[in-house]
Amino acid sequence: MTFTVLYPNVLRDVLIRFAQTGLVHARWTDRILDETFGNLARDRPDIPTAKLDKLRELMNAAVPDCLVTGYEKLIPALKWYTEPVRGDAEAAEPRADHHAEGDE
């Protein structure tokens, strides 16, 4: 799973700008960023690694409290969480037997 809102420049920019105005609370993890920037490096070998590293740094600096940490121990307790099939970071998928409360 590619985190499509962080991958394209325009969507990433819009998310960060909305977060800076308080319209949304943008949050991501290092695992999400690792996947996003890994995909960018693979798909766009013309972008130097140093430039991608700087972009990651600027993203984290642009949105206060954006980087979520300490969540790993909570994952097994999530009823709807399943491990990613291809090893994609954070690719939590609702199980087929999961229903929202009152949705039976």
Side-chain angles (χ1 to χ4, degrees):
M1 175 178 178
T2 299
F3 292 90
T4 55
V5 73
L6 295 179
Y7 185 91
N9 286 335
V10 173
L11 290 178
R12 183 175 53 245
D13 183 62
V14 168
L15 174 67
I16 290 170
R17 288 175 189 269
F18 281 179
Q20 289 174 328
T21 65
L23 290 172
V24 299
H25 296 283
R27 303 287 184 264
W28 47 75
T29 67
D30 276 327
R31 285 179 61 185
I32 289 171
L33 294 178
D34 289 346
E35 181 176 335
T36 300
F37 285 95
N39 288 337
L40 278 168
R42 182 194 67 226
D43 297 343
R44 295 288 312 273
D46 58 307
I47 302 175
T49 301
K51 189 170 184 176
L52 293 175
D53 292 344
K54 184 65 174 177
L55 175 58
R56 182 177 180 148
E57 179 185 321
L58 291 171
M59 285 174 60
N60 285 333
V63 181
D65 300 321
C66 63
L67 198 58
V68 176
T69 60
Y71 65 92
E72 297 87 353
K73 65 181 179 261
L74 301 174
I75 291 174
L78 298 174
K79 179 179 178 181
W80 52 268
Y81 181 82
T82 58
E83 279 294 322
V85 175
R86 294 178 292 128
D88 293 336
E90 314 298 330
E93 296 289 334
R95 291 193 319 241
D97 64 340
H98 174 71
H99 298 282
E101 282 188 42
D103 183 29
E104 310 239 345

